[in-house]
Amino acid sequence: MLDGFSAETLARVQFAFTVSFHIIFPAFSIGLASFLAVLNALYLKTRDETYLTLFTYWKKIFAVAFGMGVVSGIVMSYQFGTNWSVFSDRAGPIVGPLMAYEVLSAFFLEAGFLGIMLFGRERVGEKLHMFATAMVAFGTLMSATWILSVNSWMQTPAGYSINDVGQFVPEDWWQIVFNPSFPYRLVHMVLAAFLTTSLVVGAVGALHLLRDKTDREARRMFSMAMWMAAIVTPLQIFAGDLHGLNTLEHQPAKVMAMEGHYESHPHGAPLILFGIPNPEERRIDYAIEIPYASSLILRHQWDAPLDGLDTIPDDEEPPVAIVFFSFRVMVGLGFAMLGLGMWSLWARWKGTIFTSPRLHRAAILMGPSGFVAVLAGWITTEVGRQPYTVYGMLRTSESLAPVDAPAVAASLIAFIVVYFAVFGAGTFYILRMMNKRPATPKLGLRDGPIRTAGITPAPQIDTDFIPRA
Amino acid sequence: MLFDLAFIWAGLIAFAVMTYVILDGFDLGIGILFPFAKSEADRDLMMNSVAPVWDGNETWLVLGGGGLFAVFPLAYAVIMPALYIPITVMLLALVFRGVSFEYRWRVQNKGVWDIAFFGGSFLAALCQGIALGALVQGIEVTDRAYSGGWFDWLSPFSILTGVAVVIGYALLGATWIVLKTENDIQVQMRKWSWWLGAATLVLIGIISIVTPLLDPVYFDRWFNLPGSLWTMVVPLLMLGLIWKFFTGLNDQRDLQPFLCALGFFVVSFIGIGVSFYPMMVPPTLTIWDVAAPDSSLAFALVGAVILIPIILAYTAYAYWVFRGKMDPSEGYH
């Protein structure tokens, strides 16, 4: 089935596949953990039952997403060794300790306090329960911090030397952890996680508002989510711009691929809004351009010269088409999110935020957009780092484990089948929970409200599935 | 120098792996025993007895893998490709098992996820045992890389260790249920503990006899004077535990059989340590061959020294919060 592919290609596909699946869950759970902490704190402060209902509702969804994140994360921690053992040996002395810090300071914090957050409100009392909830949220943020430090070091390595067996050896841990691209990438990703969560929460709120405009929980969560979207999106676009400028400084080839600049522009480069990269002819076909805009954005001067991929040796070039398209998907969705946020502000000012079906439908449509944008963003930055694992220092083709192609192919197929089955089922269960009103007493299907004993195989009718006028 | 950073880290990684076995062993064991429960209510109870702690338990496996990557990158880079198939199967099995904790409550027919929970737990335990056996047999290394074939891990010995770990984890699971429950299921599991305990001990015995014969180096570690005086402490400890285990079951004690079963694992683990030291990847690579530079070891050690005691403290707290017999009516779903 996968004959003819090299072990390198298969291992790359396998890593891309497992890490893409994995990032979906943290992108959601980082934001959701903080949202839960806020809901619980607001409940304790105001004693408004709406917050408690929302907390209980999202807590159950969080548990399923978190479970998927844990198991897909365990896979990641072994994948470096099984498929990228040369990378592990060479970069291990630097990358390894950072990942160990992630496990020690974050995974344990989340996992240790999660049980108390989910099961323990009655057992430990409200104060300790609040503390556990906050620790889970803090743990997810710590986890993001360390893993982004690792990834950023691979993008912009610093503070190292190379020893006699070819390993990267730490010289200055401060420079390693706070490497040049780390602060930008961290801010960009954490905001992305918050935004992704707020779009999901907003979509679920909008769904229930479409069915019942008076649903108190739906109103509360939709309002909170739209505040978040309206405030965070502009910040995110600003942070993304700074991140791009940082990339231009340290990884210019990546920016050239993002911009689709095959050629250098000594007198000001155009911004290519859309087009189709043609790698053979080394040009962008059907390009729609704004003259000088790229120089204006990247150099803050309309006629500033910008180098193109013609200044980069061919064997150091990233694959242009993937980077070019994924970058446009991310930016396009970012502006759509901005549009939704502004629309919600307008509706709020007009007093129609809870009654405008068009806004609610738009919010539902935008529900998954955060995940797509996160994936597109990661594809841009990771594919843009190619052909290196440690940028400029260690090539991907030299990082590979000595495992033969058929073994990699077999495990790749196994991962694809299992991930689609298992995480497909999980996503289905999450969507089904989201489809129920927050005030539904028990979301687990089996222990839901009393049902007719099933003699007939016909699907059972759940009143929550029927939209209300 | 004996007490250098690499030595300390070898101890810490060994500690993490042992903690993983102690914590996740009973939790996987419950999965292995799942099909043998007499009713759905019993299965619910069994699963809920570990639901609040399972992700914390599995995090020790991440620390074992991540820690190896951090401080012994060469060992990580050699062992993982060598054990490619058992490790991959174990990871996929853990995926199935882990999600079953939540999914099982989200469907009308629990059957599918009951099977996933059993199959995942069983395969994960089997693969862990096989991986251990394959490591004890030795791994072929040339030029800082694994140089054997895909199926080198598969041998009668590794199958034997695989089966031993499955049975041993089932024993841990059974004694955990004795500790956490009452009535019928407790009576059933107490009886099972007896047989599982006997089977585990027979398997440990066979492995202990075979291991020194696999490699003359292992034989020397165990049977050379005056070292043997020390190594003989291991079987003596085992005898004491066996006595306590069976009398504990006979006297219908709740905690004692569980602690003794954990003791079997700890003593066996020490036994493996005696065979291995100072090798990290037998037969060629020692702890010092595979260690990262001191600057990496020191940096990671700061975090470990500060954070591991804190982790142990709140893990203990979480267990304390959920102590005592299970209440069948409790659950957050």
Side-chain angles (χ1 to χ4, degrees):
Chain A
M1 179 173 164
L2 294 175
D3 297 349
F5 288 98
S6 67
E8 185 198 344
T9 308
L10 292 166
R12 285 176 67 177
V13 171
Q14 181 165 321
F15 198 88
F17 179 78
T18 48
V19 81
S20 299
F21 253 95
H22 177 63
I23 189 65
I24 290 173
F25 306 114
F28 184 42
S29 58
I30 291 169
L32 200 50
S34 297
F35 182 54
L36 284 169
V38 169
L39 286 173
N40 201 47
L42 284 172
Y43 167 67
L44 294 182
K45 190 159 178 268
T46 62
R47 295 284 157 191
D48 180 343
E49 293 287 329
T50 314
Y51 290 120
L52 183 61
T53 310
L54 280 174
F55 177 83
T56 316
Y57 179 73
W58 283 105
K59 169 180 101 173
K60 292 168 189 169
I61 292 167
F62 178 80
V64 177
F66 190 86
M68 295 195 277
V70 169
V71 292
S72 60
I74 295 177
V75 172
M76 294 321 302
S77 75
Y78 284 83
Q79 189 107 103
F80 290 102
T82 51
N83 292 79
W84 301 100
S85 61
V86 177
F87 167 80
S88 302
D89 177 26
R90 299 270 178 84
I94 287 181
V95 170
L98 299 180
M99 305 236 276
Y101 268 92
E102 182 191 16
V103 179
L104 288 168
S105 69
F107 285 10
F108 277 110
L109 207 57
E110 298 161 13
F113 285 103
L114 182 73
I116 295 174
M117 170 176 138
L118 292 178
F119 301 87
R121 189 188 288 273
E122 276 74 35
R123 283 188 179 240
V124 299
E126 281 182 331
K127 276 190 189 149
L128 263 176
H129 177 259
M130 179 68 230
F131 177 73
T133 308
M135 280 299 121
V136 172
F138 178 66
T140 59
L141 289 171
M142 285 300 285
S143 179
T145 304
W146 286 111
I147 206 68
L148 286 164
S149 176
V150 171
N151 181 272
S152 299
W153 184 83
M154 289 166 65
Q155 305 272 359
T156 53
Y160 66 93
S161 62
I162 291 179
N163 72 5
D164 52 347
V165 291
Q167 286 179 309
F168 293 88
V169 180
E171 291 296 330
D172 181 342
W173 280 104
W174 186 264
Q175 281 184 33
I176 290 169
V177 175
F178 294 95
N179 60 77
S181 64
F182 167 63
Y184 300 93
R185 190 170 277 106
L186 175 66
V187 170
H188 199 43
M189 180 61 206
V190 170
L191 288 179
F194 284 157
L195 201 49
T196 300
T197 306
S198 71
L199 288 162
V200 172
V201 172
V204 174
L207 177 74
H208 295 292
L209 282 175
L210 276 178
R211 292 170 180 171
D212 178 2
K213 290 181 183 49
T214 63
D215 186 328
R216 286 200 317 160
E217 285 79 19
R219 292 170 79 116
R220 188 68 51 86
M221 69 171 126
F222 187 69
S223 169
M224 290 173 84
M226 287 301 114
W227 273 126
M228 198 70 184
I231 294 166
V232 173
T233 318
L235 291 176
Q236 177 68 322
I237 290 171
F238 180 62
D241 181 51
L242 290 178
H243 189 15
L245 294 177
N246 176 263
T247 308
L248 179 67
E249 190 183 338
H250 295 281
Q251 297 173 296
K254 187 192 284 185
V255 176
M256 292 167 198
M258 284 155 67
E259 294 288 307
H261 288 162
Y262 277 111
E263 283 166 16
S264 300
H265 296 270
H267 308 293
L271 180 69
I272 301 172
L273 291 179
F274 197 75
I276 298 171
N278 183 339
E280 282 80 37
E281 302 289 325
R282 301 186 61 80
R283 61 162 193 254
I284 305 290
D285 293 338
Y286 314 108
I288 301 166
E289 303 181 345
I290 304 177
Y292 304 114
S294 186
S295 286
L296 197 61
I297 293 171
L298 291 167
R299 298 280 188 213
H300 301 295
Q301 195 187 327
W302 66 276
D303 60 350
L306 266 183
D307 285 344
L309 289 164
D310 51 359
T311 61
I312 305 283
D314 283 359
D315 66 342
E316 290 173 21
E317 241 176 50
V320 176
I322 300 176
V323 178
F324 181 84
F325 284 122
S326 60
F327 178 64
R328 270 152 195 75
V329 169
M330 177 188 76
V331 172
L333 286 173
F335 280 98
M337 293 169 199
L338 183 70
L340 181 71
M342 295 307 119
W343 186 0
S344 77
L345 284 182
W346 170 254
R348 202 185 290 273
W349 185 63
K350 297 284 281 179
T352 58
I353 188 165
F354 299 126
T355 53
S356 162
R358 289 212 327 215
L359 174 64
H360 300 157
R361 287 206 190 91
I364 293 172
L365 189 69
M366 291 296 288
S369 64
F371 296 110
V372 180
V374 165
L375 279 175
W378 275 108
I379 290 168
T380 307
T381 197
E382 294 295 276
V383 177
R385 190 190 59 217
Q386 300 304 325
Y388 298 104
T389 44
V390 179
Y391 193 70
M393 300 304 297
L394 183 62
R395 282 178 175 267
T396 310
S397 56
E398 294 163 353
S399 307
L400 198 64
V403 178
D404 295 329
V408 186
S411 62
L412 172 61
I413 292 170
F415 274 112
I416 290 174
V417 171
V418 169
Y419 273 36
F420 273 109
V422 168
F423 299 128
T427 309
F428 173 71
Y429 300 144
I430 286 183
L431 289 175
R432 190 159 63 184
M433 285 192 273
M434 287 174 171
N435 196 29
K436 300 197 176 193
R437 305 181 65 184
T440 313
K442 286 192 168 180
L443 290 173
L445 188 69
R446 286 180 327 106
D447 29 26
I450 301 158
R451 289 154 198 286
T452 43
I455 340 165
T456 52
Q460 290 169 350
I461 293 163
D462 187 326
T463 49
D464 286 319
F465 282 82
I466 301 168
R468 274 160 248 227
Chain B
M1 183 171 114
L2 192 61
F3 279 99
D4 61 1
L5 286 164
F7 179 81
I8 294 169
W9 263 112
L12 278 173
I13 297 285
F15 176 77
V17 173
M18 196 171 80
T19 311
Y20 170 73
V21 170
I22 288 175
L23 292 177
D24 211 34
F26 70 82
D27 165 341
L28 287 164
I30 280 168
I32 295 167
L33 293 170
F34 222 52
F36 307 104
K38 290 198 171 112
S39 67
E40 183 165 311
D42 280 358
R43 279 194 286 275
D44 287 354
L45 201 62
M46 284 163 76
M47 191 181 249
N48 274 342
S49 76
V50 290
V53 289
W54 77 270
D55 13 34
N57 296 346
E58 285 193 359
T59 308
W60 289 93
L61 184 64
V62 183
L63 183 63
L68 202 62
F69 185 16
V71 291
F72 301 112
L74 182 57
Y76 179 79
V78 168
I79 294 172
M80 296 301 154
L83 304 178
Y84 191 82
I85 295 171
I87 296 274
T88 306
V89 173
M90 176 192 81
L91 294 173
L92 290 169
L94 288 174
V95 168
F96 274 107
R97 183 194 122 75
V99 298
S100 304
F101 278 100
E102 288 297 326
Y103 290 7
R104 209 171 153 269
W105 303 94
R106 310 274 167 244
V107 288
Q108 261 161 342
N109 181 1
K110 290 179 184 172
V112 176
W113 296 112
D114 281 355
I115 295 168
F117 188 57
F118 162 73
S121 304
F122 174 83
L123 273 180
L126 185 69
C127 290
Q128 286 175 10
I130 288 176
L132 174 68
L135 191 60
V136 172
Q137 283 177 131
I139 285 174
E140 210 180 311
V141 179
T142 329
D143 231 4
R144 298 179 77 84
Y146 174 58
S147 55
W150 314 351
F151 282 102
D152 285 14
W153 51 271
L154 189 65
S155 70
F157 181 73
S158 69
I159 300 284
L160 179 69
T161 51
V163 172
V165 168
V166 172
I167 304 279
Y169 281 179
L171 168 69
L172 291 176
T175 50
W176 168 258
I177 296 166
V178 170
L179 171 65
K180 295 295 283 186
T181 61
E182 294 161 306
N183 306 328
D184 288 358
I185 182 172
Q186 193 193 28
V187 173
Q188 182 199 355
M189 286 302 159
R190 188 172 278 133
K191 206 164 70 195
W192 280 60
S193 297
W194 208 98
W195 289 108
L196 287 167
T200 305
L201 290 167
V202 169
L203 288 164
I204 292 176
I206 297 174
I207 293 169
S208 308
I209 293 167
V210 175
T211 307
L213 304 177
L214 276 179
D215 186 336
V217 177
Y218 293 153
F219 191 88
D220 265 12
R221 301 247 160 77
W222 285 95
F223 304 103
N224 70 330
L225 287 168
S228 306
L229 295 175
W230 288 106
T231 52
M232 284 311 116
V233 172
V234 175
L236 287 176
L237 266 175
M238 202 62 162
L239 285 175
L241 285 169
I242 294 170
W243 170 254
K244 280 290 188 190
F245 175 74
F246 287 107
T247 52
L249 282 177
N250 265 338
D251 302 345
Q252 313 235 325
R253 290 183 196 268
D254 287 349
L255 182 60
Q256 193 173 319
F258 179 62
L259 291 182
C260 291
L262 288 178
F264 296 165
F265 273 86
V266 174
V267 172
S268 305
F269 196 79
I270 294 171
I272 295 167
V274 171
S275 297
F276 262 42
Y277 185 80
M279 288 296 157
M280 189 64 140
V281 186
T284 40
L285 299 174
T286 67
I287 296 170
W288 295 274
D289 292 333
V290 295
D294 276 359
S295 49
S296 298
L297 301 182
F299 177 71
L301 190 62
V302 174
V305 166
I306 297 170
L307 293 166
I308 288 180
I310 299 175
I311 292 165
L312 289 173
Y314 65 63
T315 305
Y317 175 71
Y319 275 86
W320 174 252
V321 167
F322 296 102
R323 70 192 174 279
K325 297 285 183 190
M326 293 292 298
D327 173 357
S329 67
E330 209 174 18
Y332 85 106
H333 298 280

